[in-house]
Amino acid sequence: FRVVRLLRLARIVRLLRARVFRDLLHMIQGMLGGLGTLGWSLALFVLFVYVVALFFRYFLGPKDEDIDDTMATWYFRSVPRSMCMCFHPAYLRQLAELVIAS
């Protein structure tokens, strides 16, 4: 029974090597090759958002000596919240506009 499975798998692999699927295989290889670049760009974007969030948290977040209840101190009261506030205008607003428009 295992031999029959191996023969089926060999037929599928031989079918994928056919000329018809060559373009598909090239597209898949290109997508896999681009994953490294995509990962590095995502890492740089997260690093940039983190640095900007630290900056906003330090300058716009609540101070120890004064407790005010402004929107800026509420939005930037912690680093993860600051990161969300920095990320939201970058991408999520455009996504929300697309959802509202449809």
Side-chain angles (χ1 to χ4, degrees):
F1 191 67
R2 290 183 185 195
V3 175
V4 175
R5 283 186 184 174
L6 287 174
L7 288 174
R8 285 182 189 170
L9 186 63
R11 263 193 282 167
I12 291 173
V13 169
R14 189 174 48 200
L15 179 68
L16 287 176
R17 290 181 182 258
R19 186 178 176 143
V20 177
F21 290 104
R22 197 167 284 153
D23 288 336
L24 177 64
L25 289 176
H26 287 302
M27 286 176 27
I28 291 172
Q29 288 173 351
M31 288 171 54
L32 292 176
L35 282 178
T37 305
L38 182 64
W40 279 110
S41 63
L42 181 66
L44 286 174
F45 178 72
V46 169
L47 180 68
F48 176 75
V49 169
Y50 179 72
V51 169
V52 171
L54 284 176
F55 178 78
F56 282 158
R57 167 65 181 99
Y58 182 76
F59 288 108
L60 298 177
K63 307 288 188 269
D64 290 335
E65 61 271 359
D66 62 338
I67 298 180
D68 56 24
D69 202 18
T70 62
M71 290 301 281
T73 58
W74 188 79
Y75 282 136
F76 301 108
R77 67 179 176 217
S78 68
V79 175
R81 181 177 285 274
S82 297
M83 287 181 72
C84 288
M85 289 297 112
C86 293
F87 177 74
H88 183 272
Y91 289 104
L92 296 180
R93 187 180 74 199
Q94 295 167 355
L95 180 65
E97 289 173 0
L98 283 174
V99 169
I100 291 171
S102 63

